Amino acid sequence: MSKNISKLSGRIGLKNNLFQKISERSLKSKNGEGMKEIAEEYNLGVSTIHGAESFYEFLRPEHRAKKAFICNGSACMCAGTQEKLKDKLETKLGKGKVGAMFCLGYCYENRAFHYDGENYAGEDINKIDQIIKGEEIKQNKLFSKSFASTSFLMDDKLDNLNQFKSLLEKYLKIDGKEIIKNLLESNLCGRGGAAFPTGMKWDFCGQQKAKKKYVVCNADEGDSGAFSDRYLLEDQPLKVLFGMIICGYVIGGDEGVLYIRGEYPKSIESVNGCINELKKQKLLGENILGTKFNFNINICIGQGAYICGEETALIASIEGRRAEVDVRPPFPTVEGLYKKPTVVNNVETLAAATGILINGSKKFSAIGNKKSAGTKLVCLDSFFKNPGVYEIDMGTPMKKIFHEIGGGFKESVKALQIGGPLGGVVPVELAEKLNLDFQEFTKAGFMLGHGSIVSIPKDFNMVEYIHHLFEFTAEESCGKCFPGRLGSYRGKEMFDQALSKKNKIPIKLLNELLTTMKKGCLCALCGAIPVPISNILKYFGDEMKNDIST
Ligand SMILES: Cc1cc2nc3c(=O)[nH]c(=O)nc-3n(C[C@H](O)[C@H](O)[C@H](O)COP(=O)(O)O)c2cc1C
């Protein structure tokens, strides 16, 4: 069935994208008017259209009834700033008028909220009257700095269109196979979490015999603690877009989609502006720089669903289907968007590919080791004395990252959640023994993932932290697989009861639940959440002993 929906919506394709159409119509309508017309236009059932619309948080009537949204990500929760913030906003906007959004990417400042299409954080709440009046306020800039031996992501070598044009001229004269060779030699692995070799992915897709192929840039950065993709989209957008274009050239694709979360309005503005400039300069479109190569980039704006970061759900979302995860294989490189061969890459991966083409693959592979090569962006939250986003050599000791680059902690911190909500929860002393290295983290029972760091303060109740993880999974699960859909709710219930002191946590049942989720879930959202939960039980179980029954 989903094959048919893919084909039917693919018939109209990206020019008149079904998902964007559903989103725009839904945001304008009060009671779902217009959906019947969309169904007719796309030759689909109304229930299919409704199924897609009802999947997204931002398209739900109860969400649209709110005026402002506080960030309910893990970093703002640990900082303990959000209750007061909500009270202040409710005083101004009315009781019940303040909702929540999952991680706005201001983990370095906290007190983050969304109002009227813009994000605010830190001291901004003190200017709420000006904000409500629609006045522009001066906001803090995200602090960024490269500590890398060679900078591939933060340097200024692709800051303007002249540099962009020269680089494109250079590479459109080179055979795609040579570019793949470069990437393979660099040992670049995907930065979106799974660390799959990027050159290999482009090569697989390039080898597919198909008239149509796509490049998808995954800019759905929803991991709490991560704001590195946001940094790249706002400060280095040309590096990301160059990566997409060159990937299209290498694989023989002529269309790209940048799927960007709706929670990042400034990033959307930034990449939109760049795409328009590139089109004006004819660096995007037909016969780029007088060659036979055509390439266009479309933007798809997410509507508040964390699971859309998972590549098969992301593809379903672009196609206008319910954003449910699909079984792999076939992998997107063989059967991706509209069932055509597709490369899905993370924002940082694409920017790194560009950095490699600028600076050379040898310099990249010389840093770190074969499986964890080059430089990586690492995000430090507000518990660090120097919060911000940093470019760091792979292999750098975490101790150096925490204490030299990050300046140490402002207050006592007992654990770090590294790599988003699905990443491990690492006791600080243990994290200090590791290096910035994907394999080292995995071997120690954690996950480096996207390299975001959320600090858990000494006095934070770990029962509450596990509750937060189960609640997040229950809300964000796509609902397709049984262990994920039910397991996350049952887990949340156990911790609801423990927090309200109605019942203790039945540890045997909890361990069985975690094993079932780990083994039986379709994707890593519900399948990997047992990792941080098991870490907490292992390292901080003692703190929770009064809430656990054997
Ligand atoms: C639940 C879940 C959420 C994900 N979220 C993201 C995301 O926000 N951004 C991203 O690039 N990859 C995300 N991924 C990984 C993607 O599925 C995919 O592996 C990645 O986009 C591939 O790009 P890369 O090879 O450049 O890393 C997520 C995976 C899972 C299971």
Side-chain angles (χ1 to χ4, degrees):
M1 181 61 181
S2 74
K3 263 194 180 170
N4 292 339
I5 300 171
S6 299
K7 280 203 178 129
L8 286 168
S9 54
R11 195 172 38 94
I12 302 186
L14 293 166
K15 300 276 173 310
N16 192 12
N17 178 255
L18 176 58
F19 170 55
Q20 289 303 296
K21 195 143 199 179
I22 294 172
S23 309
E24 280 157 24
R25 195 69 66 87
S26 177
L27 290 168
K28 272 189 210 147
S29 76
K30 280 209 171 104
N31 297 307
E33 307 89 40
M35 293 302 157
K36 197 164 163 269
E37 287 74 12
I38 297 182
E40 276 165 13
E41 186 184 344
Y42 286 79
N43 207 8
L44 294 165
V46 181
S47 59
T48 303
I49 304 294
H50 178 68
E53 184 199 12
S54 59
F55 190 87
Y56 298 97
E57 177 74 24
F58 297 175
L59 306 184
R60 294 191 192 129
E62 56 278 20
H63 179 91
R64 289 191 280 146
K66 309 281 186 209
K67 288 186 177 162
F69 304 87
I70 56 159
C71 171
N72 63 356
S74 317
C76 280
M77 178 188 77
C78 286
T81 54
Q82 300 310 83
E83 251 174 65
K84 248 192 192 164
L85 177 74
K86 188 173 181 190
D87 287 347
K88 280 191 182 173
L89 285 166
E90 283 198 331
T91 311
K92 294 286 173 188
L93 301 168
K95 258 223 138 6
K97 290 291 172 198
V98 180
M101 280 185 182
F102 191 74
C103 199
L104 296 172
Y106 286 77
C107 318
Y108 51 94
E109 270 194 303
N110 308 125
R111 278 181 286 173
F113 66 101
H114 182 97
Y115 177 78
D116 199 18
E118 294 290 341
N119 289 339
Y120 302 93
E123 297 301 315
D124 296 348
I125 184 66
N126 299 329
K127 297 172 196 150
I128 187 67
D129 290 325
Q130 281 166 269
I131 292 170
I132 292 172
K133 276 190 214 151
E135 290 172 15
E136 208 170 301
I137 62 156
K138 197 170 173 295
Q139 289 183 277
N140 286 341
K141 199 170 163 7
L142 162 58
F143 183 77
S144 58
K145 191 170 173 180
S146 178
F147 283 88
S149 45
T150 302
S151 173
F152 292 83
L153 297 159
M154 288 184 167
D155 65 21
D156 57 3
K157 293 180 186 159
L158 201 56
D159 268 359
N160 61 56
L161 293 179
N162 287 336
Q163 290 169 329
F164 194 96
K165 191 175 169 192
S166 316
L167 195 68
L168 198 56
E169 260 166 355
K170 176 177 169 189
Y171 279 99
L172 292 191
K173 283 184 195 137
I174 295 177
D175 190 78
K177 289 198 179 74
E178 270 304 302
I179 299 175
I180 288 185
K181 207 171 141 227
N182 259 327
L183 279 190
L184 287 170
E185 276 169 6
S186 74
N187 292 329
L188 169 66
C189 287
R191 300 310 199 214
F196 188 81
T198 309
M200 220 187 258
K201 191 183 272 192
W202 290 19
D203 198 19
F204 285 158
C205 195
Q207 283 175 28
Q208 300 304 311
K209 303 243 173 306
K211 276 195 188 135
K212 188 85 193 168
K213 293 179 187 175
Y214 293 100
V215 179
V216 175
C217 171
N218 188 344
D220 199 45
E221 179 175 70
D223 280 356
S224 216
F227 38 86
S228 43
D229 289 353
R230 180 161 88 72
Y231 158 77
L232 290 168
L233 295 163
E234 291 170 20
D235 274 46
Q236 303 278 349
L238 288 176
K239 285 208 177 112
V240 182
L241 297 175
F242 188 89
M244 288 183 77
I245 298 174
I246 215 67
C247 176
Y249 172 69
V250 164
I251 64 165
D254 65 353
E255 246 179 323
V257 185
L258 199 141
Y259 189 100
I260 186 164
R261 63 199 301 252
E263 290 90 337
Y264 281 1
K266 279 208 171 66
S267 310
I268 297 171
E269 202 183 304
S270 157
V271 284
N272 246 329
C274 268
I275 289 173
N276 288 338
E277 277 305 310
L278 290 175
K279 278 186 188 158
K280 261 196 229 156
Q281 304 286 326
K282 304 209 179 315
L283 296 169
L284 267 179
E286 311 298 300
N287 303 112
I288 297 173
L289 294 168
T291 65
K292 285 187 184 148
F293 175 56
N294 307 326
F295 198 76
N296 282 301
I297 297 182
N298 309 270
I299 289 193
C300 253
I301 301 171
Q303 297 295 336
Y306 174 83
I307 194 62
C308 289
E310 195 282 334
E311 60 186 10
T312 60
L314 180 110
I315 287 169
S317 177
I318 301 171
E319 290 179 358
R321 291 188 274 137
R322 258 177 104 74
E324 287 175 344
V325 169
D326 274 328
V327 180
R328 293 172 305 179
F331 288 93
T333 43
V334 176
E335 214 176 83
L337 185 58
Y338 303 124
K339 302 289 166 204
K340 306 289 179 215
T342 303
V343 165
V344 181
N345 268 146
N346 170 254
V347 169
E348 188 179 326
T349 311
L350 290 163
T354 304
I356 289 164
L357 297 182
I358 295 174
N359 295 292
S361 52
K362 286 210 171 70
K363 277 193 183 159
F364 197 83
S365 63
I367 303 169
N369 59 49
K370 197 168 179 207
K371 289 191 170 165
S372 290
T375 65
K376 165 102 206 69
L377 296 184
V378 173
C379 298
L380 302 184
D381 72 4
S382 68
F383 280 90
F384 288 90
K385 288 184 183 147
N386 307 325
V389 57
Y390 300 95
E391 182 177 3
I392 298 173
D393 285 350
M394 291 299 301
T396 303
M398 296 307 288
K399 199 169 186 173
K400 181 174 174 186
I401 299 176
F402 302 152
H403 298 286
E404 284 180 37
I405 297 172
F409 298 103
K410 283 179 198 157
E411 57 180 273
S412 192
V413 164
K414 63 180 166 193
L416 304 162
Q417 185 162 29
I418 304 179
L422 317 175
V425 171
V426 198
V428 174
E429 324 69 80
L430 231 169
E432 284 174 349
K433 292 189 184 129
L434 296 171
N435 296 309
L436 188 68
D437 183 301
F438 293 113
Q439 284 68 38
E440 239 185 75
F441 266 72
T442 310
K443 210 170 148 205
F446 311 112
M447 198 181 84
L448 179 59
H450 202 34
S452 55
I453 301 183
V454 170
S455 308
I456 306 175
K458 196 165 178 236
D459 56 359
F460 199 92
N461 179 357
M462 287 311 220
V463 174
E464 199 181 326
Y465 203 86
I466 298 185
H467 178 266
H468 166 71
L469 293 174
F470 268 131
E471 184 174 56
F472 163 76
T473 321
E475 278 177 21
E476 299 297 341
S477 150
C478 75
K480 186 164 175 175
C481 74
F482 188 74
R485 184 175 70 238
L486 290 186
S488 52
Y489 263 97
R490 294 290 91 91
K492 179 181 155 333
E493 277 167 8
M494 279 182 202
F495 283 80
D496 274 336
Q497 297 195 357
L499 283 175
S500 62
K501 303 288 174 202
K502 273 195 195 137
N503 268 317
K504 292 195 176 195
I505 301 154
I507 193 69
K508 194 164 167 273
L509 201 61
L510 174 63
N511 281 328
E512 278 172 15
L513 176 69
L514 294 176
T515 307
T516 308
M517 289 177 78
K518 206 166 146 186
K519 291 196 171 162
C521 288
L522 202 49
C523 85
L525 172 50
C526 302
I529 207 78
V531 172
I533 296 174
S534 305
N535 291 158
I536 297 175
L537 293 171
K538 178 172 174 186
Y539 295 108
F540 300 96
D542 263 4
E543 286 181 21
M544 298 163 56
K545 62 177 184 288
N546 293 336
D547 293 295
I548 290 178
S549 73
T550 46

